[in-house]
Amino acid sequence: MAATRVLTAAAATTQPTSCFLSKRAFLLPAKTSCLSFNRRALVLKSKQPFSCSAIYNPQTKVQEEGPSETLDYRVFFLDGSSGKKVSPWHDIPLTLGDGVFNFIVEIPKESKAKMEVATDEDYTPIKQDTKKGKLRYYPYNINWNYGLLPQTWEDPSQANPEVEGAFGDNDPVDVVEIGEAQRKIGEVLKIKPLAALAMIDEGELDWKIVAISLDDPKAHLVNDVDDVEKHFPGTLTAIRDWFRDYKIPDGKPANRFGLGDKPANKDYALKIIHETNESWAKLVKRSVDAGDLSLF
């Protein structure tokens, strides 16, 4: 029987969230709120306008279906008021204003089941990744909370000239949250970005945004990459090395990192978030080919 638990997601600020209608260009002015709207009215083969009712205060229920660590296991997100399914990727807003963003936990720290949003399934639930029909696990525990930024997308048709011309990996942007608490699958946290790592995985660009939850005891101490080195010494190197080496036990080559193998600062991380939010906007507008990706 599916278990259901309620998680309190990041509360909205009084600042309005940008919301564009289908007849307007999906352009984000610099340093403004990123796109946040609900496209549940979107039907892939229709030409009807988008619904423009963002979940500004996403009180959500997380509904687990199927036994954990099985091929059938899914974690669905439900709107707290209506009980209807929503997409954690598309329907939870990216930004809350004032440099605060929503982060959705896929993999709790000190665990190794490789959980991810199923970008090709309706409502994009969280599931355990598979390879050749078998569940995937990291060879050892990940030491940080790991997940995604909603309403972002790394466009596989766009080459990044700053990172060896690598193309996007066709997924939302990943977040490595360095706070002390182990979080739960499906938890929605308010975070502030601190740095960015440009991982290149089998030729694809796979950004890692290093961030901290605002409720962490050390959150007030860190605001940029240098603060991470000061208050979390060795953490950025440990993150880079973990993601560089985790495929080696399976006989694969190590991943590589662009930008001189070093973490970029907060401003650069915000630039990446802004650009990938713009790419996501084009995706849900269907200005680019979605392929097998689910847009609802």
Coordinates of all heavy atoms in Angstrom, one line a residue, residues 42-127:
L42 N -1.1 21.9 -20.1 CA -0.4 21.6 -21.3 C -0.6 20.2 -21.8 O -0.5 19.3 -21.1 CB 1.1 21.8 -21.1 CG 2.0 21.5 -22.3 CD1 1.7 22.4 -23.5 CD2 3.5 21.6 -21.9
V43 N -1.1 20.1 -23.0 CA -1.2 18.8 -23.7 C -0.2 18.8 -24.9 O -0.2 19.7 -25.7 CB -2.6 18.6 -24.2 CG1 -2.7 17.3 -24.9 CG2 -3.6 18.6 -23.0
L44 N 0.6 17.8 -24.9 CA 1.7 17.8 -25.8 C 1.3 18.1 -27.3 O 2.0 18.8 -28.0 CB 2.5 16.5 -25.7 CG 3.2 16.3 -24.4 CD1 4.0 15.0 -24.5 CD2 4.2 17.4 -24.1
K45 N 0.2 17.5 -27.7 CA -0.1 17.6 -29.1 C -1.2 18.7 -29.4 O -1.7 18.9 -30.5 CB -0.7 16.3 -29.6 CG 0.4 15.2 -29.6 CD -0.2 13.9 -30.1 CE 0.9 12.8 -30.1 NZ 0.3 11.5 -30.7
S46 N -1.5 19.5 -28.3 CA -2.5 20.5 -28.5 C -1.8 21.9 -28.7 O -0.6 22.0 -28.5 CB -3.4 20.6 -27.3 OG -2.7 21.2 -26.2
K47 N -2.5 22.9 -29.0 CA -2.0 24.2 -29.2 C -2.6 25.2 -28.2 O -2.6 26.4 -28.3 CB -2.1 24.7 -30.6 CG -1.3 23.9 -31.6 CD -1.5 24.5 -33.0 CE -0.7 23.7 -34.0 NZ -0.8 24.3 -35.4
Q48 N -3.3 24.6 -27.1 CA -3.9 25.5 -26.2 C -2.9 26.2 -25.3 O -1.8 25.8 -25.2 CB -4.8 24.6 -25.2 CG -4.0 23.7 -24.3 CD -5.0 22.7 -23.6 OE1 -5.8 22.0 -24.2 NE2 -4.9 22.7 -22.3
P49 N -3.3 27.4 -24.8 CA -2.4 28.2 -24.0 C -2.0 27.5 -22.8 O -2.7 26.7 -22.2 CB -3.2 29.5 -23.7 CG -4.3 29.5 -24.7 CD -4.6 28.1 -25.0
F50 N -0.8 28.0 -22.2 CA -0.4 27.4 -21.0 C -1.3 28.0 -19.8 O -1.8 29.1 -19.9 CB 1.0 27.9 -20.7 CG 2.1 27.3 -21.6 CD1 2.6 28.0 -22.6 CD2 2.5 26.0 -21.4 CE1 3.5 27.5 -23.5 CE2 3.4 25.5 -22.3 CZ 4.0 26.2 -23.3
S51 N -1.4 27.2 -18.8 CA -2.0 27.7 -17.6 C -1.0 28.5 -16.8 O 0.2 28.2 -16.8 CB -2.5 26.5 -16.7 OG -2.8 26.9 -15.4
C52 N -1.4 29.6 -16.2 CA -0.5 30.5 -15.6 C -0.8 30.6 -14.1 O -1.0 31.7 -13.6 CB -0.5 31.8 -16.3 SG 0.9 32.9 -15.9
S53 N -0.8 29.5 -13.4 CA -1.1 29.5 -12.0 C 0.0 28.8 -11.2 O -0.1 27.6 -11.0 CB -2.5 28.9 -11.7 OG -2.5 27.6 -12.2
A54 N 1.0 29.6 -10.9 CA 2.2 28.9 -10.2 C 1.8 28.5 -8.8 O 0.9 29.0 -8.2 CB 3.3 30.0 -10.1
I55 N 2.5 27.4 -8.4 CA 2.4 27.0 -7.0 C 3.3 27.8 -6.2 O 4.5 27.5 -5.9 CB 2.7 25.5 -6.9 CG1 1.9 24.6 -7.8 CG2 2.5 25.0 -5.5 CD1 2.3 23.2 -7.8
Y56 N 2.8 29.0 -5.8 CA 3.7 30.0 -5.1 C 4.1 29.5 -3.7 O 5.2 29.8 -3.2 CB 3.0 31.3 -5.0 CG 2.8 32.0 -6.3 CD1 1.5 32.1 -6.8 CD2 3.9 32.5 -7.0 CE1 1.3 32.8 -8.0 CE2 3.7 33.1 -8.2 CZ 2.4 33.2 -8.7 OH 2.3 33.8 -9.9
N57 N 3.3 28.7 -3.0 CA 3.6 28.2 -1.7 C 3.3 26.7 -1.7 O 2.3 26.3 -1.3 CB 2.7 28.9 -0.7 CG 3.1 28.6 0.8 OD1 4.1 27.9 1.0 ND2 2.3 29.0 1.7
P58 N 4.3 26.0 -2.3 CA 4.1 24.6 -2.6 C 4.0 23.7 -1.3 O 5.0 23.0 -1.0 CB 5.2 24.3 -3.5 CG 6.3 25.2 -3.1 CD 5.7 26.4 -2.6
Q59 N 2.9 23.7 -0.6 CA 2.7 22.7 0.4 C 2.3 21.4 -0.3 O 1.3 21.3 -0.9 CB 1.6 23.1 1.3 CG 1.3 22.2 2.5 CD 2.2 22.4 3.7 OE1 3.0 23.4 3.7 NE2 2.1 21.6 4.7
T60 N 3.2 20.4 -0.3 CA 3.0 19.2 -1.1 C 3.0 18.0 -0.2 O 3.5 17.9 0.9 CB 4.2 19.0 -2.1 OG1 5.4 18.9 -1.4 CG2 4.2 20.2 -3.1
K61 N 2.3 17.0 -0.7 CA 2.3 15.7 -0.2 C 3.2 14.8 -1.1 O 3.2 15.0 -2.3 CB 0.9 15.0 -0.1 CG -0.1 15.7 0.8 CD -1.4 15.0 0.8 CE -2.4 15.7 1.7 NZ -3.7 15.0 1.7
V62 N 3.9 13.9 -0.5 CA 4.8 13.0 -1.2 C 4.2 11.6 -1.1 O 4.1 11.1 0.0 CB 6.2 13.0 -0.7 CG1 7.1 12.0 -1.5 CG2 6.8 14.4 -0.9
Q63 N 3.7 11.1 -2.2 CA 3.1 9.8 -2.2 C 4.0 8.7 -2.7 O 4.3 8.8 -3.9 CB 1.8 9.8 -3.0 CG 1.0 8.5 -3.0 CD -0.3 8.7 -3.7 OE1 -1.2 9.3 -3.2 NE2 -0.4 8.2 -4.9
E64 N 4.3 7.7 -1.9 CA 5.2 6.6 -2.4 C 4.3 5.5 -2.9 O 3.3 5.1 -2.2 CB 6.0 6.1 -1.2 CG 7.0 7.2 -0.7 CD 7.7 6.7 0.5 OE1 7.1 6.7 1.6 OE2 8.9 6.3 0.4
E65 N 4.7 5.0 -4.1 CA 3.9 3.9 -4.7 C 4.9 2.8 -5.0 O 6.0 3.0 -5.6 CB 3.2 4.4 -6.0 CG 2.2 5.4 -5.7 CD 1.4 5.8 -6.9 OE1 1.6 5.1 -8.0 OE2 0.5 6.7 -6.9
G66 N 4.6 1.6 -4.6 CA 5.4 0.4 -4.8 C 6.5 0.3 -3.7 O 6.8 1.3 -3.0
P67 N 7.0 -0.9 -3.5 CA 8.0 -1.1 -2.4 C 9.3 -0.4 -2.8 O 9.7 -0.3 -4.0 CB 8.2 -2.6 -2.4 CG 7.0 -3.2 -3.1 CD 6.6 -2.2 -4.1
S68 N 10.0 0.1 -1.8 CA 11.3 0.8 -2.1 C 12.3 -0.2 -2.6 O 12.2 -1.4 -2.3 CB 11.8 1.5 -0.8 OG 12.0 0.6 0.2
E69 N 13.3 0.3 -3.3 CA 14.3 -0.5 -4.0 C 13.7 -1.6 -4.8 O 14.2 -2.8 -4.8 CB 15.3 -1.1 -2.9 CG 16.0 0.1 -2.1 CD 17.1 -0.4 -1.2 OE1 18.1 -1.0 -1.8 OE2 17.0 -0.2 0.0
T70 N 12.7 -1.3 -5.6 CA 12.1 -2.2 -6.6 C 11.9 -1.3 -7.9 O 11.9 -0.1 -7.8 CB 10.8 -2.8 -6.2 OG1 9.8 -1.8 -6.2 CG2 10.9 -3.5 -4.8
L71 N 11.7 -2.0 -9.0 CA 11.5 -1.3 -10.2 C 10.2 -0.5 -10.3 O 10.1 0.4 -11.1 CB 11.5 -2.3 -11.4 CG 12.9 -3.1 -11.7 CD1 12.7 -4.1 -12.7 CD2 14.0 -2.1 -12.1
D72 N 9.3 -0.9 -9.4 CA 8.0 -0.2 -9.3 C 7.9 1.0 -8.4 O 6.9 1.7 -8.4 CB 6.9 -1.2 -8.9 CG 6.7 -2.4 -9.9 OD1 6.9 -2.2 -11.1 OD2 6.4 -3.5 -9.4
Y73 N 8.9 1.2 -7.7 CA 8.9 2.3 -6.7 C 8.9 3.7 -7.4 O 9.7 3.9 -8.2 CB 10.1 2.2 -5.8 CG 10.2 3.2 -4.7 CD1 9.2 3.2 -3.6 CD2 11.1 4.2 -4.7 CE1 9.3 4.2 -2.6 CE2 11.2 5.2 -3.7 CZ 10.3 5.1 -2.6 OH 10.3 6.1 -1.6
R74 N 7.9 4.5 -6.9 CA 7.8 5.9 -7.4 C 7.5 6.8 -6.2 O 6.7 6.4 -5.3 CB 6.8 6.0 -8.5 CG 7.0 5.2 -9.8 CD 8.2 5.8 -10.6 NE 8.4 5.1 -11.8 CZ 9.0 4.0 -12.0 NH1 9.6 3.3 -11.0 NH2 9.2 3.5 -13.2
V75 N 8.0 8.0 -6.3 CA 7.6 9.0 -5.3 C 6.9 10.1 -6.1 O 7.6 10.9 -6.8 CB 8.8 9.6 -4.5 CG1 8.4 10.7 -3.6 CG2 9.5 8.4 -3.8
F76 N 5.6 10.2 -5.9 CA 4.8 11.3 -6.6 C 4.6 12.5 -5.7 O 4.6 12.3 -4.5 CB 3.5 10.7 -7.1 CG 3.5 9.8 -8.3 CD1 3.6 8.4 -8.1 CD2 3.5 10.3 -9.6 CE1 3.6 7.6 -9.2 CE2 3.6 9.5 -10.7 CZ 3.7 8.1 -10.5
F77 N 4.5 13.6 -6.4 CA 4.2 14.9 -5.6 C 2.7 15.2 -5.8 O 2.3 15.2 -7.0 CB 5.1 16.0 -6.1 CG 6.5 15.8 -5.7 CD1 7.3 14.8 -6.1 CD2 7.1 16.8 -4.8 CE1 8.6 14.7 -5.7 CE2 8.4 16.6 -4.3 CZ 9.2 15.6 -4.8
L78 N 2.1 15.6 -4.8 CA 0.7 16.0 -4.8 C 0.5 17.4 -4.3 O 1.1 17.8 -3.3 CB -0.2 15.0 -4.0 CG -0.1 13.5 -4.2 CD1 -1.0 12.8 -3.2 CD2 -0.3 13.1 -5.6
D79 N -0.3 18.1 -5.0 CA -0.7 19.5 -4.5 C -1.4 19.3 -3.1 O -2.3 18.6 -3.0 CB -1.6 20.2 -5.5 CG -1.9 21.6 -5.0 OD1 -1.1 22.5 -5.1 OD2 -3.0 21.7 -4.4
G80 N -0.9 20.1 -2.1 CA -1.4 20.0 -0.8 C -2.9 20.3 -0.6 O -3.6 19.9 0.3
S81 N -3.4 21.2 -1.5 CA -4.8 21.6 -1.4 C -5.7 20.7 -2.2 O -6.7 20.2 -1.7 CB -4.9 23.1 -2.0 OG -4.1 24.0 -1.2
S82 N -5.4 20.4 -3.5 CA -6.3 19.7 -4.3 C -6.0 18.2 -4.3 O -6.9 17.4 -4.6 CB -6.1 20.1 -5.8 OG -4.8 19.8 -6.3
G83 N -4.8 17.8 -3.9 CA -4.5 16.4 -3.9 C -4.1 15.8 -5.3 O -3.8 14.7 -5.4
K84 N -4.1 16.7 -6.2 CA -3.8 16.3 -7.6 C -2.3 16.2 -7.8 O -1.5 16.9 -7.1 CB -4.3 17.3 -8.6 CG -5.8 17.4 -8.6 CD -6.3 18.4 -9.7 CE -7.8 18.4 -9.8 NZ -8.3 19.4 -10.8
K85 N -1.9 15.3 -8.7 CA -0.5 15.1 -8.9 C 0.1 16.3 -9.6 O -0.5 17.0 -10.5 CB -0.2 13.9 -9.8 CG -0.4 12.5 -9.1 CD -0.1 11.4 -10.0 CE -0.3 10.0 -9.3 NZ -0.1 8.9 -10.2
V86 N 1.3 16.7 -9.2 CA 2.1 17.8 -9.9 C 3.5 17.2 -10.2 O 3.9 16.2 -9.6 CB 2.1 19.0 -9.0 CG1 0.8 19.6 -8.8 CG2 2.8 18.7 -7.6
S87 N 4.2 17.9 -11.0 CA 5.5 17.6 -11.4 C 6.5 18.3 -10.5 O 6.5 19.5 -10.5 CB 5.8 17.9 -12.9 OG 7.2 17.9 -13.1
P88 N 7.4 17.6 -9.8 CA 8.4 18.3 -9.1 C 9.4 19.1 -10.0 O 9.9 20.1 -9.6 CB 9.2 17.2 -8.4 CG 8.9 16.0 -9.2 CD 7.6 16.1 -9.7
W89 N 9.6 18.7 -11.2 CA 10.4 19.3 -12.1 C 9.8 20.6 -12.7 O 10.4 21.7 -12.8 CB 10.8 18.4 -13.3 CG 11.7 19.0 -14.3 CD1 12.6 20.1 -14.2 CD2 12.0 18.4 -15.6 NE1 13.3 20.3 -15.4 CE2 12.9 19.3 -16.3 CE3 11.5 17.3 -16.3 CZ2 13.4 19.0 -17.6 CZ3 11.9 17.1 -17.6 CH2 12.8 17.9 -18.2
H90 N 8.5 20.5 -13.1 CA 7.9 21.6 -13.8 C 7.0 22.5 -12.9 O 6.8 23.7 -13.2 CB 7.0 21.0 -14.9 CG 7.8 20.3 -16.0 ND1 8.9 20.8 -16.6 CD2 7.6 19.0 -16.4 CE1 9.3 19.9 -17.5 NE2 8.6 18.8 -17.4
D91 N 6.4 22.0 -11.9 CA 5.4 22.7 -11.2 C 5.8 23.4 -9.9 O 5.2 24.3 -9.4 CB 4.2 21.8 -10.8 CG 3.4 21.4 -12.1 OD1 3.2 22.3 -12.9 OD2 2.9 20.3 -12.2
I92 N 6.9 23.0 -9.3 CA 7.5 23.6 -8.1 C 8.3 24.8 -8.6 O 9.2 24.6 -9.5 CB 8.2 22.7 -7.2 CG1 7.3 21.7 -6.6 CG2 9.0 23.4 -6.2 CD1 7.9 20.6 -5.7
P93 N 8.1 26.0 -8.2 CA 8.9 27.1 -8.7 C 10.4 27.1 -8.4 O 10.8 26.6 -7.3 CB 8.2 28.3 -8.0 CG 7.6 27.8 -6.8 CD 7.2 26.4 -7.1
L94 N 11.2 27.6 -9.3 CA 12.6 27.6 -9.1 C 13.0 28.6 -8.0 O 13.7 28.3 -7.1 CB 13.3 28.0 -10.4 CG 14.8 28.3 -10.3 CD1 15.6 27.1 -9.8 CD2 15.3 28.8 -11.7
T95 N 12.5 29.8 -8.1 CA 13.0 30.9 -7.3 C 11.9 31.4 -6.3 O 10.7 31.4 -6.6 CB 13.5 32.1 -8.1 OG1 14.0 33.1 -7.2 CG2 12.4 32.7 -8.9
L96 N 12.4 31.8 -5.1 CA 11.5 32.5 -4.1 C 11.9 33.9 -3.9 O 11.4 34.6 -3.0 CB 11.6 31.7 -2.8 CG 11.2 30.2 -2.8 CD1 11.6 29.5 -1.6 CD2 9.7 30.2 -3.0
G97 N 12.8 34.4 -4.7 CA 13.3 35.8 -4.6 C 14.4 35.9 -3.6 O 14.7 35.0 -2.8
D98 N 15.1 37.1 -3.7 CA 16.1 37.4 -2.7 C 17.3 36.3 -2.7 O 17.9 36.1 -1.7 CB 15.6 37.6 -1.3 CG 14.6 38.7 -1.2 OD1 14.8 39.7 -1.9 OD2 13.6 38.6 -0.4
G99 N 17.5 35.7 -3.9 CA 18.6 34.8 -4.0 C 18.3 33.4 -3.4 O 19.3 32.6 -3.2
V100 N 17.1 33.1 -3.1 CA 16.7 31.9 -2.5 C 16.0 31.0 -3.6 O 15.1 31.5 -4.3 CB 15.7 32.1 -1.3 CG1 15.3 30.8 -0.7 CG2 16.4 32.9 -0.3
F101 N 16.3 29.7 -3.6 CA 15.8 28.8 -4.6 C 15.3 27.6 -3.9 O 15.7 27.2 -2.8 CB 16.9 28.4 -5.6 CG 17.5 29.6 -6.4 CD1 18.5 30.4 -5.8 CD2 17.0 29.9 -7.6 CE1 19.0 31.5 -6.6 CE2 17.4 31.0 -8.3 CZ 18.4 31.8 -7.8
N102 N 14.3 26.9 -4.6 CA 13.8 25.6 -4.2 C 14.8 24.5 -4.7 O 15.2 24.5 -5.8 CB 12.4 25.4 -4.7 CG 11.4 26.0 -3.9 OD1 11.5 26.1 -2.6 ND2 10.3 26.5 -4.5
F103 N 15.0 23.5 -3.8 CA 15.8 22.4 -4.1 C 15.0 21.1 -3.7 O 14.5 21.0 -2.6 CB 17.1 22.5 -3.3 CG 17.9 21.2 -3.1 CD1 18.2 20.4 -4.2 CD2 18.2 20.7 -1.8 CE1 18.9 19.2 -4.0 CE2 18.8 19.5 -1.6 CZ 19.2 18.7 -2.7
I104 N 15.0 20.2 -4.6 CA 14.2 18.9 -4.4 C 15.2 17.8 -4.2 O 16.0 17.5 -5.0 CB 13.3 18.6 -5.6 CG1 12.3 19.8 -5.8 CG2 12.5 17.3 -5.3 CD1 11.6 19.7 -7.1
V105 N 15.1 17.2 -3.0 CA 16.0 16.1 -2.7 C 15.6 14.8 -3.4 O 14.5 14.3 -3.3 CB 16.0 15.8 -1.1 CG1 17.0 14.7 -0.8 CG2 16.4 17.1 -0.4
E106 N 16.6 14.2 -4.1 CA 16.4 12.9 -4.7 C 17.2 11.9 -3.9 O 16.7 10.7 -3.8 CB 16.9 13.0 -6.2 CG 16.2 13.9 -7.1 CD 16.9 14.1 -8.4 OE1 18.1 14.5 -8.4 OE2 16.2 13.8 -9.5
I107 N 18.4 12.2 -3.5 CA 19.2 11.2 -2.8 C 19.7 11.8 -1.5 O 20.4 12.8 -1.4 CB 20.4 10.8 -3.6 CG1 20.0 10.4 -5.0 CG2 21.3 9.8 -2.9 CD1 21.2 10.1 -6.0
P108 N 19.2 11.2 -0.3 CA 19.7 11.7 1.0 C 21.2 11.4 1.2 O 21.7 10.4 0.7 CB 18.8 10.9 2.0 CG 17.7 10.4 1.2 CD 18.2 10.2 -0.2
K109 N 21.8 12.3 1.9 CA 23.3 12.0 2.2 C 23.4 10.7 3.0 O 22.5 10.3 3.7 CB 23.9 13.2 3.0 CG 23.3 13.4 4.4 CD 23.9 14.6 5.1 CE 25.3 14.6 5.3 NZ 25.9 15.8 6.1
E110 N 24.6 10.1 2.8 CA 24.9 8.8 3.4 C 24.0 7.7 3.0 O 23.7 6.8 3.7 CB 25.0 8.9 4.9 CG 25.9 10.0 5.5 CD 27.3 10.0 4.9 OE1 27.8 8.9 4.6 OE2 27.9 11.1 4.8
S111 N 23.6 7.8 1.7 CA 22.9 6.6 1.0 C 23.5 6.4 -0.3 O 24.2 7.3 -0.8 CB 21.4 7.0 1.0 OG 21.1 8.0 0.1
K112 N 23.1 5.3 -1.0 CA 23.8 5.0 -2.3 C 22.8 4.5 -3.4 O 23.2 4.3 -4.5 CB 24.9 4.1 -2.1 CG 24.6 2.7 -1.6 CD 25.8 1.8 -1.5 CE 25.5 0.4 -1.0 NZ 26.8 -0.4 -1.0
A113 N 21.5 4.4 -3.1 CA 20.5 4.1 -4.1 C 20.5 5.3 -5.1 O 20.2 6.5 -4.6 CB 19.2 3.8 -3.5
K114 N 20.7 5.1 -6.4 CA 20.7 6.2 -7.3 C 19.3 6.6 -7.7 O 18.7 6.1 -8.7 CB 21.5 5.8 -8.5 CG 21.9 7.0 -9.4 CD 22.8 6.6 -10.6 CE 23.3 7.8 -11.4 NZ 22.2 8.6 -11.9
M115 N 18.7 7.5 -7.0 CA 17.4 8.0 -7.2 C 17.4 9.2 -8.1 O 18.4 10.0 -8.1 CB 16.7 8.4 -5.9 CG 16.8 7.3 -4.8 SD 16.0 5.8 -5.3 CE 14.3 6.3 -5.5
E116 N 16.4 9.4 -9.0 CA 16.3 10.6 -9.9 C 14.9 10.8 -10.3 O 14.1 9.9 -10.3 CB 17.2 10.3 -11.1 CG 16.8 9.1 -11.9 CD 17.7 8.9 -13.2 OE1 18.8 9.4 -13.1 OE2 17.3 8.2 -14.1
V117 N 14.6 12.0 -10.7 CA 13.4 12.4 -11.3 C 13.3 11.7 -12.6 O 14.2 11.7 -13.5 CB 13.2 13.9 -11.5 CG1 12.1 14.2 -12.5 CG2 12.9 14.6 -10.1
A118 N 12.1 11.0 -12.9 CA 11.9 10.3 -14.1 C 11.4 11.3 -15.2 O 10.2 11.5 -15.3 CB 10.9 9.2 -13.9
T119 N 12.3 11.9 -15.9 CA 12.0 13.0 -16.8 C 11.1 12.5 -18.0 O 10.5 13.4 -18.7 CB 13.2 13.7 -17.3 OG1 14.1 12.7 -18.0 CG2 14.0 14.3 -16.2
D120 N 11.0 11.2 -18.2 CA 10.2 10.7 -19.3 C 8.9 10.1 -18.9 O 8.2 9.5 -19.7 CB 11.1 9.7 -20.1 CG 11.5 8.5 -19.3 OD1 11.3 8.5 -18.0 OD2 12.0 7.5 -19.8
E121 N 8.5 10.3 -17.6 CA 7.2 9.7 -17.2 C 6.3 10.9 -16.8 O 6.7 11.9 -16.3 CB 7.5 8.8 -16.0 CG 8.3 7.6 -16.3 CD 8.4 6.6 -15.1 OE1 7.7 6.8 -14.1 OE2 9.3 5.7 -15.2
D122 N 5.0 10.6 -16.9 CA 4.0 11.6 -16.5 C 4.2 12.0 -15.1 O 4.4 11.2 -14.2 CB 2.6 11.1 -16.7 CG 2.2 10.8 -18.2 OD1 3.0 11.2 -19.1 OD2 1.1 10.2 -18.4
Y123 N 4.2 13.3 -14.9 CA 4.3 14.0 -13.5 C 5.7 13.8 -13.0 O 6.0 14.1 -11.8 CB 3.2 13.5 -12.6 CG 1.9 13.8 -13.0 CD1 1.0 12.8 -13.6 CD2 1.4 15.1 -13.0 CE1 -0.2 13.1 -14.0 CE2 0.1 15.4 -13.5 CZ -0.7 14.4 -14.0 OH -2.0 14.6 -14.4
T124 N 6.6 13.3 -13.7 CA 8.1 13.1 -13.4 C 8.3 12.8 -12.0 O 9.0 13.5 -11.2 CB 8.8 14.5 -13.8 OG1 8.3 15.5 -13.0 CG2 8.7 14.8 -15.2
P125 N 7.8 11.6 -11.5 CA 8.1 11.2 -10.1 C 9.5 10.8 -9.9 O 10.3 10.7 -10.9 CB 7.2 9.9 -10.0 CG 7.2 9.4 -11.4 CD 7.1 10.6 -12.3
I126 N 9.9 10.7 -8.7 CA 11.3 10.2 -8.4 C 11.3 8.7 -8.4 O 10.3 8.1 -7.8 CB 11.7 10.7 -7.0 CG1 11.9 12.3 -7.1 CG2 13.1 10.1 -6.6 CD1 12.2 12.9 -5.7
K127 N 12.3 8.1 -9.0 CA 12.4 6.6 -9.1 C 13.8 6.3 -8.9 O 14.7 7.1 -8.9 CB 11.8 6.1 -10.4 CG 12.7 6.5 -11.6 CD 12.3 5.7 -12.8 CE 13.3 6.0 -14.0 NZ 12.9 5.2 -15.2

